Amino acid sequence: MSAAGTARQTPPATGRREPVFTLPFVNLMVANGLLRVCTYMLIALVPLYALDRGVSTTVAGLTTTLYMGAAVVLRPLSGKLVDTRGRYAVMVVGASLYCAATGLYVLTLPIWALLAARALQGFGFALNGTAVMTLATDLIPESRMSEGIGYLGVEQTVAQLFAPWLALELRGTYGYRTAFAVVFALGVVNLFIRIPLRTVARRLDARRREEASRQGPAEEAAEQGGPEKGPLWSRIVDRDAWRPSSIMFLLMFGAAGINTFMAAYATGHGIANSGPFFTASGLMVAVSRLTAGRLGRRFGTVWVIAPGIALMAAGQLGIWWSPDLSVLMLAGAAYGLGMGAVQPGLNSLAVLSAGRERRGRANSTFFMAMDLSQAIGAVALGAVAGVAGTGAVFPISAGLMSVACVAYVVLRRRGFVG
């Protein structure tokens, strides 16, 4: 990595503590928080709706597969569009597609149209997610990047804790149409809340273009969307952000194992309800996101990321060993505490390794690594479970996390990550 890239990762400390919670940042948090609520409500509603329509479990599963698949396919393009067309424009287009697809659920659609709407929603999710995170990194002071990204992620944890419950309550009391209508209404409100961000986003885009023009013709051409040269890989993956993203790729294999096999494994150990694992994990993710960034600023990023990875590995081993619910909850707390520290830290390293003109691609690289890891991890760990049993999934995931921790320390010592 260039010296300039290294300098961007560790901006010099100043005597003045720049604020994170500016009015535009809070505005962005509220708007995206509403969309997170919509996302988790639909995760609970759509597969059940498909099953109640009489389709097979395979077709019901496609409602999730098409949604995530569409998001993965559009991630590389979303990064380029965010860098060339502007954060605000891509964000509003993405949120509008998401909202329009939600409105279609209120209608009684044939199953093929329901699946098409879910894929359209995946496209909107990818565009919105990349644009929101990139605009957030423009608003957050570089000296507090990990801290700000952590704050932004708290909304996801809060939504994950109560949105599925709200969706199922609305479904049980009023039916699917009303539940979908409520989600659609929240999506419309989310669109209106974004309107004040237009001015500040355009101002930041203008500043970014000015910086790119000062850096040289190559950066300016990229900023204006000119033709890119080089192999396809270099046009999809940011040349610097791939290092921290590859660490996250290894870590998210474990998340796939937990989401896919943990409940079945716990049941086999006599733990009928593993829900408290996710509650403990979600709460500790929130606690960690609120505190890890400040600890990183004070002691250094390595003292947050490396222990965080160790806690995630400990959580995996705790699941594997868990003789009862209390141990399983402790495992969930350890895993959540680690994840809440590591994900914002690595995301900030990916963003700061790139110049402002490449932040969209840096973010798309990072989230593409997360998406692909979970998709591949579910299949790979499923094969492991088929051969060696579901219990083998968790120590193998812990081993991969240990490899990720060693890779991070080695890359950091060689100056490739912060």
Side-chain angles (χ1 to χ4, degrees):
M1 181 185 297
S2 65
T6 304
R8 277 194 295 267
Q9 289 182 30
T10 54
T14 61
R16 181 173 59 89
R17 190 185 185 199
E18 298 175 278
V20 173
F21 289 104
T22 59
L23 183 59
F25 182 75
V26 173
N27 190 330
L28 186 66
M29 282 190 69
V30 173
N32 200 54
L34 280 177
L35 207 67
R36 294 283 192 185
V37 171
C38 294
T39 297
Y40 284 105
M41 289 181 73
L42 292 175
I43 285 173
L45 286 172
V46 175
L48 284 176
Y49 176 64
L51 287 171
D52 286 348
R53 292 279 302 275
V55 304
S56 66
T57 55
T58 301
V59 174
L62 281 176
T63 62
T64 299
T65 301
L66 288 174
Y67 175 73
M68 293 306 301
V72 170
V73 167
L74 205 64
R75 282 289 186 196
L77 178 60
S78 70
K80 180 176 174 60
L81 289 174
V82 164
D83 286 335
T84 58
R85 303 302 178 190
R87 282 55 159 149
Y88 183 79
V90 177
M91 179 178 72
V92 170
V93 168
S96 298
L97 288 175
Y98 192 99
C99 186
T102 305
L104 293 175
Y105 299 146
V106 179
L107 308 174
T108 305
L109 299 173
I111 293 301
W112 67 265
L114 177 69
L115 295 175
R118 197 62 174 146
L120 177 66
Q121 200 160 44
F123 290 138
F125 174 78
L127 291 171
N128 173 79
T130 304
V132 164
M133 184 55 69
T134 308
L135 179 56
T137 58
D138 289 342
L139 294 170
I140 299 167
E142 291 196 357
S143 61
R144 303 182 68 184
M145 187 64 71
S146 178
E147 189 177 348
I149 291 174
Y151 293 147
L152 189 66
V154 171
E155 63 192 21
Q156 177 179 351
T157 305
V158 173
Q160 192 172 359
L161 287 174
F162 86 89
W165 167 83
L166 175 62
L168 295 177
E169 283 292 312
L170 289 170
R171 163 187 171 265
T173 306
Y174 302 105
Y176 283 111
R177 179 164 293 182
T178 297
F180 285 135
V182 170
V183 180
F184 177 66
L186 291 174
V188 172
V189 172
N190 141 77
L191 282 172
F192 279 106
I193 291 176
R194 293 168 190 251
I195 292 175
L197 291 167
R198 180 180 181 183
T199 301
V200 67
R202 287 188 168 183
R203 186 172 69 246
L204 290 170
D205 283 341
R207 187 180 75 179
R208 180 166 45 87
R209 285 191 293 269
E210 182 181 348
E211 290 178 356
S213 66
R214 287 200 302 264
Q215 289 173 3
E219 288 81 358
E220 186 174 9
E223 174 68 28
Q224 294 172 355
E228 296 184 74
K229 299 179 180 179
L232 179 63
W233 172 264
S234 67
R235 283 178 273 164
I236 294 176
V237 175
D238 185 80
R239 62 178 181 262
D240 294 321
W242 71 267
R243 295 182 181 92
S245 299
S246 64
I247 304 298
M248 201 67 205
F249 181 88
L250 289 173
L251 294 175
M252 291 308 292
F253 259 79
I258 289 174
N259 293 336
T260 308
F261 302 109
M262 195 278 293
Y265 182 71
T267 300
H269 274 59
I271 304 172
N273 181 11
S274 57
F277 171 92
F278 295 102
T279 302
S281 178
L283 290 173
M284 294 313 293
V285 165
V287 169
S288 185
R289 285 183 181 275
L290 290 171
T291 57
R294 281 176 286 176
L295 292 174
R297 258 190 320 115
R298 182 172 181 180
F299 299 108
T301 308
V302 67
W303 293 106
V304 171
I305 292 180
I309 295 175
L311 282 170
M312 292 175 69
Q316 293 279 358
L317 293 175
I319 296 171
W320 176 58
W321 174 62
S322 56
D324 53 42
L325 181 60
S326 61
V327 174
L328 188 66
M329 289 179 67
L330 286 174
Y335 183 83
L337 193 63
M339 176 62 83
V342 170
Q343 192 267 333
L346 289 174
N347 195 174
S348 69
L349 292 181
V351 168
L352 293 175
S353 67
R356 287 184 183 273
E357 75 282 355
R358 302 197 332 262
R359 282 188 176 176
R361 183 173 298 177
N363 270 312
S364 71
T365 298
F366 185 79
F367 289 109
M368 191 165 41
M370 293 181 66
D371 294 340
L372 286 174
S373 179
Q374 292 187 78
I376 297 171
V379 174
L381 293 174
V384 169
V387 173
T390 55
V393 165
F394 305 105
I396 287 175
S397 295
L400 285 172
M401 290 174 178
S402 300
V403 171
C405 189
V406 171
Y408 168 69
V409 172
V410 169
L411 288 173
R412 186 178 184 277
R413 286 183 176 177
R414 295 186 178 183
F416 291 128
V417 296

